[in-house]
Every structure is written in structure tokens, then in C-alpha cells.
Amino acid sequence: MSELDTALVPLLRGTHVAALLSLFGALAFLVGVPIDGQRRTVLCLAAGSSVVSLLCGLGWFVVETAMLAQPDSVAALLGWLPEIAARTQFGSWLALRLLLLLAVLAVLGWRPGIALLLAGGAVVLQPAFGH
């Protein structure tokens, strides 16, 4: 494991989780508190948090896959991504979380209650990642 990998994993993982919690909090606020004038602002915060969490989660998955598989090319790395997603606990749980985040983005503007449930599902997966 290189020094870059050692620095990237906690940075990507931490940003992913922080953005996920920001998403969940914004949606809980949006659903639970009447905020007529600030609805658009909170939706933008939720959307931004969702995108950041999704991108950092993807980055985390790619870096972890590179560390596990140690491929010799980008093509080999891309070939390993579905293998790691299907055959490791880490990959399966993270793939599920990323799918939940995509679903949040799909329903965010018109079904914030469903988006909150999906984001909550993504949050409760955290213990599955272990240490």
C-alpha cells in the first residue's frame, strides 16, 4: 500500500460518510420542519450532499479495488470492479449504498419522504463496513 493510498482511503471514506450524514440531516429537516421559503435551498444542500457522497463513495471503491487487486492497467482495474462488488462484503455493501444514493437523486425533488427513507437506509449500512 502506497502513501497515496494510505491518505486517499480515509479522505474519501470520511468525505463520503460526512456528505451522507449531511444528506440525511437535510432531508430530515426538509420533511420534518415546515420551511416554505427555504425549501429550494435545503433541496440544493441535499442534492449537493448526495452527489458528493456518491462521487467519494465511487472513488473509495476504486481505490480499495486497486489496493486489493493490484492491477497493472486501468482496463484491468475496471475488470476487477464488478468482481470486488460481487465477491466481497465491502464491495457488496458499498454497491448497495451507492445504488441507494442514486435512488435518492432520482426521487429527491418530488418525493423527499422517500428520499429520506432511502438515505436512512444508506446510513444504517455503516456498521457493515467494519472498522
Side-chain angles (χ1 to χ4, degrees), residues 25-35 38-40 42-43 46 108 112-113:
L27 289 171
F29 188 77
L30 185 67
V31 170
V33 178
I35 49 168
Q38 299 299 316
R39 180 176 171 78
R40 183 174 177 191
V42 176
L43 275 172
L108 183 61

Side-chain angles (χ1 to χ4, degrees), residues 2-121:
S2 74
E3 290 178 19
L4 181 61
D5 296 335
T6 306
L8 268 179
V9 169
L11 178 64
L12 289 168
R13 182 179 183 168
T15 305
H16 166 73
V17 172
L20 178 62
L21 294 174
S22 172
L23 167 66
F24 182 75
L27 289 171
F29 188 77
L30 185 67
V31 170
V33 178
I35 49 168
D36 297 327
Q38 299 299 316
R39 180 176 171 78
R40 183 174 177 191
T41 302
V42 176
L43 275 172
C44 285
L45 173 62
S49 296
S50 168
V51 169
V52 168
S53 186
L54 183 61
L55 292 176
C56 287
L58 284 169
W60 177 27
F61 181 61
V62 169
V63 171
E64 287 283 357
T65 299
M67 289 170 39
L68 289 169
Q70 298 182 350
D72 55 1
S73 68
V74 173
L77 174 62
L78 293 175
W80 272 102
L81 291 172
E83 288 293 317
I84 297 296
R87 298 181 188 266
T88 66
Q89 185 175 349
F90 163 77
S92 298
W93 289 120
L94 189 55
L96 176 59
R97 181 181 272 174
L98 296 175
L99 287 173
L100 288 169
L101 286 168
L102 283 172
V104 166
L105 281 171
V107 301
L108 183 61
W110 56 282
R111 293 278 195 212
I114 293 173
L116 175 62
L117 291 173
L118 293 167

